[in-house]
Amino acid sequence: MKKFLPYYPMLKPVIGTFVIALLCGALSGIASGFGLPLMLKKVLPVLFAGTAPQDLELINFDSSQELFGGISATWLPDIHLVVPANYVLIFALLLMPLVFIIRGVAMFGNTYLLNLCGIRVLESIRMKLFTHLQHLHLGFFGKNKSGDLLSRTTGDTMLVKTVLVEVTNDLVIQPFTLVGAVGFIVWSAFQSAATQQFLLSLCVVPISVLPVQFIGKRLLKRSKKMLVSAGELSSVLSESLQAPREIRAYNLEERECSRFRKCVRDFFALQMKCVKYDKMLTPLIEIIAACSISFAVYQAAAAKLDQDTVIALVGALYFAYDPIKKLGKINNRVKEGTAGLARLEEIWQAPIEVADPANPHPLGVVRGEINFRDVTFGYTDVPVLRGVSFEAKPGDTIALVGPSGAGKSSLVNLIPRFYDVSIGSVAVDGIDVRDVRLADLRKNIAIVSQEPILFNDTIYNNILIGRLDATREEVIAAAKRASALEFIESLDNGWDTVVGERGGRLSGGQRQRIAVARAFLRDAPILILDEATSALDTESEAQIQVSLEELVRGRTTFMIAHRFSSIRTAKRILVFDEGKIIADGPHEKIYESCPLYRGLYDQQAMEKIS
Ligand code: ADP
């Protein structure tokens, strides 16, 4: 449980409700452990005496009698509490519903309030996780599969919540049932010497807790494996749900089904191992307990203990075992929770590598001057950019050209600090990007990428993402400049059309126009066009190109494009090869001086002719 201690403050917002839940639980525990055996002891003789009701002796404690274990208690007062005969039957008949009413209401209060706390705590755990995920740098998402992260956010958080709420509840209230039941047993022991002998023979009972530890260890190991397997399953599922087109186009249906089948089977096999150890615990405890009780009952028979006392004592013993059983189960829940917590901590403890500086340099609207000084960068130890230096003046349009994998996208990703440089620096208006607040920096940058991500929301809200405080007029104006107004107004629901997951209900060209409208709305001095028109057909490309030409005007623009036709507005071209700039200048100049550029350009010109 030690590992969970730092997370208990999550209960703070619901602490009042949680305490009431625990009080209800304690009451129901005492009602079960003490109330029910007492009821059995008192009511059974009355109901089954076969004669008219007699005076009912509630407590008959004689202090001269030797106590449990031979202790003398002559210093205690004698207690005799007797209910008069007239009331005996009514009392006997009312006691049963009364105990069950107290127990039932308290139990309901306990479980209801506990669920309420559980939901709030789960919300806190998931929010903590989600918030951290939102601030982690992109490299983290490269290393972790989205399906697995999904599984941690939904599944593993539940296990941790169970420990913080349900297990804590059981840890507090089960001892009350136990103490209630043991209290009744001890109280009975005060009453007769035969009972004491019966109880002495119960000393073998504690061995019934032995399986708890044995099973707990095995369950922890299996739970860890099962959670990893659940993550795999989610990954396969989310991957295939995100690529239904590709799966059909490449006839991968069977392959996907067998991949999924394997994951499901592995997961179920591990799940069954957990179920085996989890469900094995109760019967094991019960078998051992039954053996020891049976031994004790034999002792009771030998000591000529009366039947009603035996029944009541066995009832009390049952209620004493219930908490032991539950405490055993708690051990299992804690082991499962520990496995889940370890996986959540991998996320919580992942450092936010790209973070705001301690003393950020204020940054308003920038002019758009950008300086790369001797930049070396790599996703791993292998650099993908090596000693890159150049300067972009405000308003420059720079095209990045080079073979695939040369490092063009990696370079533009350093400007909004999606990643940080390993060596060197990137500066905007002469200020190192690591010295300003991320939000201030990114406010100055608009990005249009190859596959714009639209959220499953209305077209209006999808454009509004560009600048959340924009007015309706500004959103409409941005759509107009992006040549998107016409198609938006022709849709049945117009601006209120919901675009579907990832914008699936729109065409590629329409999605891209929304992305361009977002960039117009953002009106940022720095613009990054990363293969913005590569996924489009030539007709859509030509239409969007007109809007893009207007968009780049007056902004420092970085353009990555495979098609040379789309970089015609660039006055300056940087040619990349293996992470280095090998040529820098206008088209005419580098066409003459750079064989790699000339080769790429001519190859495309040839393809166009053929
Ligand atoms: P380009 O844009 O010129 O095609 P990139 O900048 O995308 O090239 O990639 C440069 C190199 O970095 C490639 O070798 C690529 O495999 C690698 N790379 C790109 N993105 C990642 C990533 N998220 N994690 C690890 N390696 C990456």
Side-chain angles (χ1 to χ4, degrees):
M1 285 297 289
K2 232 194 290 169
K3 290 202 176 96
F4 291 89
L5 289 181
Y7 302 100
Y8 272 96
M10 284 180 174
L11 278 168
K12 215 165 142 196
V14 287
I15 196 68
T17 317
F18 194 61
V19 169
I20 299 175
L22 292 181
L23 290 176
C24 289
L27 183 62
S28 101
I30 293 170
S32 304
F34 196 89
L36 290 180
L38 177 71
M39 182 195 76
L40 288 174
K41 189 174 159 78
K42 298 298 169 193
V43 173
L44 290 182
V46 177
L47 295 181
F48 297 106
T51 54
Q54 299 154 0
D55 284 2
L56 180 67
E57 187 182 67
L58 262 188
I59 303 174
N60 179 20
F61 175 65
D62 180 0
S63 62
S64 62
Q65 189 191 317
E66 227 178 51
L67 292 183
F68 182 59
I71 309 161
S72 154
T74 44
W75 45 274
L76 284 174
D78 291 351
I79 307 171
H80 298 284
L81 187 60
V82 178
V83 180
N86 307 7
Y87 300 113
V88 169
L89 196 57
I90 301 168
F91 175 79
L93 290 175
L94 282 185
L95 192 59
M96 187 138 56
L98 184 72
V99 172
F100 274 97
I101 286 171
I102 295 173
R103 186 172 176 260
V105 171
M107 254 166 129
F108 173 78
N110 173 254
T111 40
Y112 179 83
L113 296 175
L114 216 57
N115 270 289
L116 193 70
C117 296
I119 289 166
R120 297 288 301 277
V121 168
L122 190 60
E123 180 189 312
S124 302
I125 303 174
R126 287 187 177 158
M127 274 320 292
K128 179 176 160 72
L129 196 70
F130 192 76
T131 310
H132 194 73
L133 279 171
Q134 296 311 308
H135 293 96
L136 283 172
H137 68 120
L138 290 183
F140 178 86
F141 297 92
K143 282 185 214 137
N144 291 279
K145 289 178 274 183
S146 61
D148 183 45
L149 295 176
L150 195 77
S151 165
R152 292 183 201 215
T153 314
T154 51
D156 298 25
T157 48
M158 285 285 275
L159 299 177
V160 175
K161 179 261 323 186
T162 301
V163 176
L164 290 182
V165 178
E166 278 97 20
V167 165
T168 309
N169 169 67
D170 273 340
L171 276 177
V172 175
I173 70 161
Q174 290 311 325
F176 276 93
T177 316
L178 190 66
V179 168
V182 171
F184 176 80
I185 294 167
V186 171
W187 174 69
S188 303
F190 272 84
Q191 313 233 324
S192 92
T195 316
Q196 291 167 16
Q197 192 179 342
F198 170 74
L199 294 172
L200 265 180
S201 57
L202 284 175
C203 289
V204 284
V205 168
I207 51 170
S208 61
V209 297
L210 284 183
V212 174
Q213 246 200 335
F214 170 82
I215 287 176
K217 268 191 205 152
R218 272 152 189 80
L219 191 65
L220 175 63
K221 239 199 249 165
R222 267 63 174 194
S223 295
K224 278 183 180 163
K225 284 191 187 158
M226 188 184 76
L227 292 177
V228 171
S229 171
E232 284 285 323
L233 187 68
S234 285
S235 296
V236 171
L237 189 64
S238 84
E239 233 173 52
S240 85
L241 292 179
Q242 277 172 28
R245 254 161 52 104
E246 287 72 9
I247 289 168
R248 280 148 193 81
Y250 290 100
N251 292 331
L252 298 177
E253 294 91 338
E254 273 312 308
R255 175 180 162 273
E256 285 302 297
C257 288
S258 64
R259 227 156 60 102
F260 189 67
R261 191 176 302 118
K262 184 182 175 308
C263 281
V264 170
R265 285 193 179 154
D266 288 352
F267 175 65
F268 284 163
L270 283 162
Q271 206 178 24
M272 279 318 293
K273 281 189 184 164
C274 291
V275 169
K276 181 176 82 182
Y277 283 107
D278 191 31
K279 302 299 170 201
M280 191 191 270
L281 186 68
T282 306
L284 261 178
I285 292 182
E286 279 181 352
I287 290 168
I288 297 175
C291 293
S292 33
I293 291 182
S294 164
F295 174 69
V297 169
Y298 166 75
Q299 294 291 321
K304 305 235 172 334
L305 198 63
D306 69 89
Q307 204 181 334
D308 307 328
T309 310
V310 172
I311 292 175
L313 278 172
V314 171
L317 280 172
Y318 172 78
F319 286 109
Y321 275 119
D322 204 44
I324 292 180
K325 237 166 37 189
K326 288 230 172 88
L327 291 170
K329 279 190 188 161
I330 285 174
N331 194 49
N332 286 357
R333 297 292 86 79
V334 173
K335 296 293 181 206
E336 287 168 354
T338 308
L341 185 63
R343 278 161 52 84
L344 296 187
E345 283 186 334
E346 277 172 19
I347 299 178
W348 281 326
Q349 286 164 8
I352 299 178
E353 286 173 16
V354 177
D356 280 336
N359 298 307
H361 195 293
L363 190 77
V365 178
V366 300
R367 287 176 295 116
E369 182 188 301
I370 293 176
N371 268 292
F372 272 66
R373 284 194 204 100
D374 237 342
V375 168
T376 295
F377 165 75
Y379 298 95
T380 56
D381 293 339
V382 186
V384 297
L385 290 175
R386 286 176 289 163
V388 173
S389 294
F390 70 89
E391 186 186 323
K393 291 264 181 290
D396 274 359
T397 301
I398 298 178
L400 309 180
V401 174
S404 176
K408 306 178 294 289
S409 296
S410 303
L411 180 125
V412 294
N413 281 343
L414 298 178
I415 304 171
R417 275 191 84 198
F418 289 155
Y419 297 90
D420 271 341
V421 297
S422 315
I423 307 173
S425 69
V426 178
V428 172
D429 280 10
I431 306 163
D432 193 315
V433 288
R434 288 167 295 189
D435 292 339
V436 296
R437 228 180 254 122
L438 283 165
D440 292 345
L441 173 70
R442 291 174 184 168
K443 233 184 249 169
N444 283 290
I445 303 170
I447 302 174
V448 182
S449 56
Q450 184 173 8
E451 264 297 321
I453 297 296
L454 302 197
F455 294 92
N456 191 9
D457 202 340
T458 60
I459 291 193
Y460 181 86
N461 286 340
N462 265 294
I463 296 179
L464 192 67
I465 283 170
R467 187 159 51 83
L468 292 173
D469 59 359
T471 62
R472 191 166 181 94
E473 287 68 37
E474 286 171 323
V475 173
I476 294 172
K480 198 169 173 190
R481 294 173 83 185
S483 314
L485 199 56
E486 204 178 312
F487 97 81
I488 295 172
E489 287 179 345
S490 72
L491 294 168
D492 285 348
N493 290 324
W495 285 97
D496 296 329
T497 307
V498 176
V499 300
E501 211 175 333
R502 301 171 81 85
R505 286 190 208 134
L506 301 180
S507 75
Q510 290 170 337
R511 282 201 293 269
Q512 203 55 283
R513 272 174 233 204
I514 289 182
V516 174
R518 268 183 198 164
F520 268 115
L521 190 63
R522 194 163 192 87
D523 196 18
I526 301 166
L527 178 65
I528 295 171
L529 304 177
D530 189 353
E531 305 271 11
T533 55
S534 301
L536 304 179
D537 54 73
T538 9
E539 197 186 328
S540 303
E541 185 192 3
Q543 287 168 355
I544 286 184
Q545 199 61 41
V546 178
S547 308
L548 287 179
E549 280 170 21
E550 191 196 329
L551 181 64
V552 302
R553 225 167 284 148
R555 306 174 207 274
T556 312
T557 306
F558 292 87
M559 273 184 185
I560 305 176
H562 278 126
R563 295 189 196 135
F564 283 78
S565 56
S566 54
I567 57 169
R568 60 183 184 228
T569 44
K571 298 277 178 303
R572 184 177 167 197
I573 294 165
L574 297 181
V575 184
F576 278 80
D577 192 23
E578 296 183 353
K580 285 186 176 163
I581 298 177
I582 57 163
D584 178 357
H587 167 76
E588 298 73 24
K589 182 185 147 202
I590 55 170
Y591 185 81
E592 291 302 321
S593 62
C594 179
L596 176 72
Y597 180 77
R598 194 166 51 240
L600 289 169
Y601 189 90
D602 289 346
Q603 188 188 348
Q604 223 171 75
M606 292 285 288
E607 278 168 13
K608 222 171 174 182
I609 295 165
S610 63

